[in-house]
Amino acid sequence: MRVRPAGMLTTADLAATMLFAVEGGAQAAAAGLDLFGVLVVAFATAVGGGILRDLLLGDVPPAALRSVAYPAAIATGATIVVVLYAGVRAVPAPVLVTLDAAGLALFCVVGATKALDFRVGGVLAVLLGTITGVGGGVLRDLLLREVPTVLRTDIYALAAALGAFVVVVARRSGMPRAAAMVVGAAACLALRLVSAAFGWHLPQVVA
Amino acid sequence: MRVRPAGMLTTADLAATMLFAVEGGAQAAAAGLDLFGVLVVAFATAVGGGILRDLLLGDVPPAALRSVAYPAAIATGATIVVVLYAGVRAVPAPVLVTLDAAGLALFCVVGATKALDFRVGGVLAVLLGTITGVGGGVLRDLLLREVPTVLRTDIYALAAALGAFVVVVARRSGMPRAAAMVVGAAACLALRLVSAAFGWHLPQVVA
Amino acid sequence: MRVRPAGMLTTADLAATMLFAVEGGAQAAAAGLDLFGVLVVAFATAVGGGILRDLLLGDVPPAALRSVAYPAAIATGATIVVVLYAGVRAVPAPVLVTLDAAGLALFCVVGATKALDFRVGGVLAVLLGTITGVGGGVLRDLLLREVPTVLRTDIYALAAALGAFVVVVARRSGMPRAAAMVVGAAACLALRLVSAAFGWHLPQVVA
């Protein structure tokens, strides 16, 4: 069984994919990688989380590799980085954080919903939703040889986990699929944006 | 076909999972990660090897994600790190090495046994047993941006390989499943503890 | 369905596997890893790309783990590194680059051909051919804690992508399997060797 989100959702998913590709590609360019390296890191950032989710669900080849739409969105994102690098770097931080939060929200609810479609348990669905949201960023940081930022700073992965959790609870409470996704995405987006606005962090265990 | 080790073995497996989670989480805390980062690294350390084994065997979703018991054991381990960090760091090294060796021994024989249950060849079963034992530690080190310690120091991975090898030979010789696991675990444990006690190392190729 | 390249091709594939194992093992030895670490990195370098391809295709256990021939080739390669380390380091660079290019060419066309055998689309087949060629090297660099060199320097991954692309176009044009592989490998080899000879690089986005 495959998730085939129609119309609106597919458009949003491809937009989020392209956005993550731009973010990952820009970071790779700043790290001095060449054109191909920018493309690879853009790819890993944009679909790494979804591919990992699909491997863990046994849905292979992963959805992001079954259609040309995702590679095309990523290639577009990488091209934007190469052609408009100065422009990408000049995007004001609040705009970037908001767009990124929207992408994160979308990815975590899509991931949790797909996991539930595969009839996995609730805990696993929350895990897979979180992985879908943050897996690409972790992979990007590994390729660029950094300790993954989502493990160190900000309330980021927690927002993805919240979004996935809300989806699972909502679906288990009988809420329709689309409504559960909207509520979950709103919860993720709200927590992420409020955290960013107020500079909230999770505490470190060792200061 | 799934390995459903009953009673005693499941308890031991969950105990080893929690122990590895505590070890990984403590290292993540020492590296300055936040609460969520500690949880993620604890998770990766505890079940990374088993998940990789299951992906390679095609047993998806991986066993560690099919039951809530494993995530619960890991969350417990991460909580112990957070609440009792000073206490965890104060555990005497010999105690920690012995517990860790017991966990390693259990994981490598469980991994090799499961691989044989899937009717793979002997070489692959040894490989998968070793991966089950050390894969989580390698993943932890990658996330913390270190060259995996098992590749550099101590007779650690070799002990896991020995345990898996003994399981394969024992089963091929007609020994019952439980006996083969006990013998394999004893071999792994013995080699690991003797190596640690005498400070044995594998030689480096380039000194 | 499995790719069962007969005779000649299997020999070439095993030779390339051993060669990549020698290269990866030598780099691990130079980084100060112990004997087991050298073996692990040799393994990851030699079959990491093929295993990742097979995971993404859902062909598990991966081909490189189904036969003892591949582990044996890798163990032989690692032994060569350990016994003849000085000799391996003394191989003249042009010889090494040429052998490595031949291995890369073979891996990318085998990967693309296998992907087409699994009836995936053309874009995915190019991707999987490229991953087969360069995935092992990326994994090696991650284990040795380096930003993957294929993302930074040389026309290397691009040569693998070209070889895979040529295979896909040739097969789609009705060319027989073996002929498509030869043409694809020649394209990859030519681009790689000419790039190395003239010191061609892809431009960085940020100089």
Side-chain angles (χ1 to χ4, degrees), chain B:
Chain B
M1 181 168 37
R2 294 180 183 169
V3 176
R4 296 207 176 278
M8 191 73 194
L9 186 54
T10 300
T11 307
D13 198 36
L14 285 171
T17 300
M18 196 178 78
L19 176 73
F20 274 43
V22 170
E23 290 185 45
Q27 197 168 330
L33 267 52
D34 68 20
L35 291 180
F36 197 89
V38 168
L39 186 60
V40 169
V41 174
F43 184 86
T45 310
V47 294
I51 287 178
L52 188 51
R53 173 202 62 210
D54 290 352
L55 282 179
L56 292 171
L57 283 173
D59 183 35
V60 289
L65 300 179
R66 279 198 299 257
S67 131
V68 295
Y70 291 90
I74 293 163
T76 306
T79 304
I80 289 173
V81 169
V82 171
V83 175
L84 298 173
Y85 181 73
V88 168
R89 293 303 255 190
V91 173
V95 174
L96 193 59
V97 167
T98 306
L99 286 173
D100 181 74
L104 180 71
L106 186 78
F107 277 7
C108 74
V109 301
V110 166
T113 302
K114 176 166 185 174
L116 290 174
D117 284 343
F118 274 72
R119 311 211 170 287
V120 304
V123 172
L124 178 48
V126 173
L127 257 169
L128 290 177
T130 309
I131 286 173
T132 308
V134 308
V138 170
L139 195 54
R140 173 200 65 208
D141 291 344
L142 286 181
L143 287 172
L144 297 177
R145 216 187 63 176
E146 299 180 4
V147 174
T149 47
V150 310
L151 305 182
R152 276 184 305 163
T153 59
D154 284 350
I155 292 188
Y156 191 87
L158 192 65
L162 174 68
F165 176 75
V166 168
V167 166
V168 171
V169 170
R171 294 292 298 281
R172 290 280 154 91
S173 313
M175 194 181 284
R177 179 193 181 94
M181 292 179 84
V182 169
V183 175
C188 170
L189 191 62
L191 177 56
R192 175 70 193 121
L193 289 183
V194 170
S195 307
F198 291 92
W200 289 352
H201 290 258
L202 284 175
Q204 290 173 298
V205 177
V206 182

Side-chain angles (χ1 to χ4, degrees), chain C residues 155-160 162-163 185-197 200:
Chain C
I155 291 187
Y156 191 87
L158 192 65
L162 174 68
C188 171
L189 190 62
L191 177 57
R192 175 69 193 120
L193 289 183
V194 170
S195 307
W200 289 352

Side-chain angles (χ1 to χ4, degrees), chain A residues 44-180:
Chain A
T45 311
V47 293
I51 287 177
L52 188 50
R53 173 202 63 210
D54 290 351
L55 282 179
L56 292 171
L57 283 173
D59 183 35
V60 288
L65 301 180
R66 279 197 299 258
S67 131
V68 294
Y70 291 89
I74 292 163
T76 305
T79 304
I80 289 173
V81 168
V82 171
V83 176
L84 299 173
Y85 181 72
V88 168
R89 293 303 257 190
V91 173
V95 174
L96 194 59
V97 167
T98 306
L99 286 173
D100 181 75
L104 180 72
L106 187 77
F107 277 8
C108 76
V109 301
V110 166
T113 301
K114 175 166 184 173
L116 290 175
D117 285 343
F118 274 73
R119 310 212 170 284
V120 304
V123 171
L124 179 48
V126 173
L127 258 170
L128 291 177
T130 309
I131 286 173
T132 308
V134 308
V138 170
L139 194 55
R140 173 200 63 208
D141 291 345
L142 286 180
L143 287 172
L144 297 177
R145 217 186 63 177
E146 297 181 4
V147 175
T149 47
V150 310
L151 305 182
R152 277 184 303 162
T153 58
D154 285 351
I155 292 187
Y156 190 88
L158 192 65
L162 174 68
F165 176 76
V166 168
V167 166
V168 171
V169 171
R171 294 292 298 281
R172 290 280 154 92
S173 313
M175 193 182 285
R177 179 194 180 93

